[in-house]
Amino acid sequence: MNLSTYTIKPKLPPALKPLEEIARNLWLSWNYDAVQLFIRLDFDSWLQSQQSPVRTLGMASQERLAQTAKDDSYLAALKEVYDRFQQYKKGETWYKGSHKDVVAYFSMEYGMDTSLPIYSGGLGILSGDHMKTSSDMGLPLVGVGLLYRQGYFKQMLNADGFQQESYPENDWYNMPVERKTGRDGQPLKISVELAGSQVIAQIWEVKVGRSSLYLLDTNIEENTPDIRNITAALYGGDKEARMQQEILLGIGGIRALRALGINPAATHMNEGHAAFLGLERIREIMTEKGFSFEEAREAVWPTNIFTTHTPVPAGNERFDIAMMEKYFRSWPQILGISWKDFIGLGRIHVNDERETFCLTVLALKLAAYANGVAKLHGEVSREMWKELWPGLPLNEIPIGHVTNGVHTRTWVSSGMLELLDRYFGPHFEKKPTELAIWERMDRISDEELWRTHERRRERLVVFIRDRIREQYRRTGAVERRIRQAEDALSPYALTLCFARRFATYKRGNLLLRDPERLLRLVKDHDRPVQLIFAGKAHPHDMPGKELIREIIHFAEKYDVTSRIVFVENYDMSVAKYLTSGGDVWLNTPRRPMEASGTSGMKAAMNGVLNCSVMDGWWDEAYDPDIGWAIGHGEQYQDEKLQDDVESKALYDLLERDIVPMFYERGRDGLPREWIKMMKSCMKQIGQSMSCHRMLMDYSNQFYFPALKNYRRLIKDDYAEAKSLAGYFDKLYQSWGDLKIFRLESNARPVMQRGDLLTVTAYIDLAQLSPDDVLVELYHGKVSNQSNEIMDAHRSEMKWIKTEGALNLYQIRFECSDTGQQGHTVRILPKHDALVHPYRSGLVKWA
């Protein structure tokens, strides 16, 4: 069929022209007055468009547009919003440096607004908040991802409560994305080789305030049907589909930026999905400069940042060697290395032929900077990946942490934001990095805060009733059952929310373990408790789907469907109602399997109190003044015992603390103790878990150093990278011959505090010079149990002289700590260009 295609845009009257620019920039997703413009324009179209501003413009009739263009009240509101939008784009920002070189942020998914459904859950929402906050702060950062034709699935529950999936097609021409074109006006395209086939991808741009997100799309005529399907669905398909998507994201993403004229001076891999970008960056430099693999690797390593989100080995992407051979057989030749060395880049044990290829390992080997997403997750990650740095103490494994945060103006409800803006002043919006402004929470009266929160709970109840009614109608429920939805939940009852991905380790059914205790709480006439559940199970996760069904069956079995409800199709819209309208946010994962979690942060900033296992972000944020902890951070071998203990602890908290505090009212009807806790919670979490704090951490710890490394490296045509590669070549050849022959010290069995201790090391440096190595005294308190040094101090030893074939290093220090102390000596790499001295296999102990 010979089909001609073209795009038709709405014909807006001149007075409404600014609406199109606002609709196509996701700045509106965190500015409710901008959203209100589209609701006011045509409410019916807004609902039918599923809250899509671009589609609303297309659905509104020309008569309605003409009528609105004459409405002076509407035009005044439009002018006010548009002026603020322009001021935002031109205004002063936290970052004041150059935008010539950028950090390219790669993620598999981005959750920024319901009108752009290319996200599944936490990872995507975090990426979306990352982009929004980058815009607020004016950072030199661009996002890179994939444009999914179907996005993630839409969840529907059948009459039996079993999850079913549908995959609606996205209509990009009615969404806030714009296809990028070249100077010839034709779509800009890049190509990537996949197992002998050329894949062509076009590039789309999403404007996010001041920032841009670029998305790759293979659904074009030049590609065969199977290749067009590469960007069909997020996390859809089999292992091979994942491989294809990850090659397109990593390798194609770098090529897309080049095609756009953007220089990715530093790259941030958000999870291992984008790890192949490291290979493409190495290939680029080898091609341009004629460098060897090792030289190009040293040029890229100091400018790569990697964030891991997965605290369990099984969650890290692995491919068998046959799959790697199919897609990467030509790469060793391109990189000038052996097949064994190439596969070794993705293996912990490079000589283990049975080990698969792991993208997390590849990312860790190619990035100078690595982090987990919470303090506890940093500890878990160092334990998980310690074998990559054999011989290095756990606390020195070069994986740090930056605790996740959330974008405040996206997730705090419009009513609460209005209240905060009034009391916090204009700096709250215009200078979002000034987090101490949350200290002003105490200025807000208890009455105003509680009234605002109660309105949110009322709106939540109305929203849930509507959703349940729709759910019942769709599943063919009888009229009596549909009418029951009118009575579901109470706008005055203590409301507990549990909303997250339904994976078994998150234990969505923990509260159901003792039906008698739960029903006593739910059916209490004077102090009732109600529960709202929401969340999707992965389409292939049958145990997760059974959890959802178990909750629905429980409510029906005990006739409490008006007090325990499950809302289908959890997305950003549902999340905003739950995180702002509930009273308590429940989180019950098996510690330490929750890397961070962010939904509880969103709830906390709305004054919703957390009741959670000490895992993820709550492990570092918990304070008795802001919420409740289930347990004390214990970890169990016996999962059944853990479930028993922690479910009982949860019932105890509800019965003894949470329910009494919520219902204890003064003569004015206010729960003063509860409100006091809300204020403390908002004050603390608003500061510590803000995405602006997170981006300041990323910028100061990783982005700015990586960009500085890049600018230093490109001087003298990457001379420093060549020098570093030559240095490591020499180091690896000589490392096996390095020997610490003996240590001498003036230590006595008993020393006095203040005594001076002198330690001398006699070292055979083989073919290396004293300038090539860092010789350290490693000293501190010795554990009676493990006979190891705990909380060690490291002090560089000074080269003194050569005695024959040996080099003498010495240090003198004062004995300051009491108790059992010990010391030893170790050797590490030393070079001015090193970001850190911790390279795999390069630590030598006495």
Side-chain angles (χ1 to χ4, degrees), residues 583-596:
D583 296 302
V584 176
W585 196 259
L586 275 181
N587 188 30
T588 53
R590 293 190 196 283
R591 177 185 162 113
M593 294 177 76
E594 183 92 309
S596 170

Side-chain angles (χ1 to χ4, degrees), residues 64-129:
R64 180 61 189 148
L65 293 174
Q67 186 184 6
T68 308
K70 295 173 185 170
D71 182 339
D72 57 350
S73 165
Y74 186 91
L75 294 178
L78 173 58
K79 183 180 186 307
E80 189 180 326
V81 170
Y82 190 66
D83 287 349
R84 202 156 60 78
F85 176 42
Q86 297 305 317
Q87 286 166 12
Y88 172 85
K89 289 199 291 183
K90 295 169 188 166
E92 190 179 314
T93 60
W94 178 77
Y95 175 75
K96 295 175 175 60
S98 163
H99 284 72
K100 182 187 168 196
D101 303 315
V102 304
V103 177
Y105 175 81
F106 285 68
S107 184
M108 202 72 167
E109 48 172 309
Y110 290 87
M112 287 183 285
D113 191 56
T114 49
S115 66
L116 190 65
I118 55 168
Y119 63 93
S120 73
L123 182 74
I125 301 298
L126 176 77
S127 303
D129 282 9

Side-chain angles (χ1 to χ4, degrees), residues 279 309 409 801:
L279 301 177
H309 290 261
R409 299 194 84 82
K801 62 179 179 177

Side-chain angles (χ1 to χ4, degrees), residues 175-243:
M175 290 186 175
V177 294
E178 183 183 338
R179 191 160 46 177
K180 298 304 288 179
T181 55
R183 289 178 184 169
D184 57 0
Q186 294 301 307
L188 212 52
K189 294 171 183 172
I190 57 102
S191 68
V192 177
E193 196 243 341
L194 280 184
S197 300
Q198 281 300 313
V199 174
I200 312 294
Q202 60 185 353
I203 307 163
W204 298 74
E205 180 183 17
V206 179
K207 288 187 170 68
V208 189
R210 301 179 178 95
S211 301
S212 286
L213 165 63
Y214 297 103
L215 303 170
L216 294 171
D217 167 27
T218 62
N219 185 28
I220 53 178
E221 289 178 0
E222 291 96 317
N223 292 325
T224 57
D226 57 324
I227 287 175
R228 292 181 73 158
N229 279 333
I230 291 174
T231 53
L234 169 61
Y235 305 139
D238 55 13
K239 206 75 173 164
E240 188 150 14
R242 288 291 283 270
M243 168 69 90

Side-chain angles (χ1 to χ4, degrees), residues 337-355:
I337 57 177
S338 69
W339 175 252
K340 182 185 174 185
D341 286 346
F342 178 79
I343 289 299
L345 292 170
R347 282 176 169 163
I348 296 173
H349 308 287
V350 294
N351 294 316
D352 183 354
E353 295 295 324
R354 294 165 301 171
E355 189 177 337

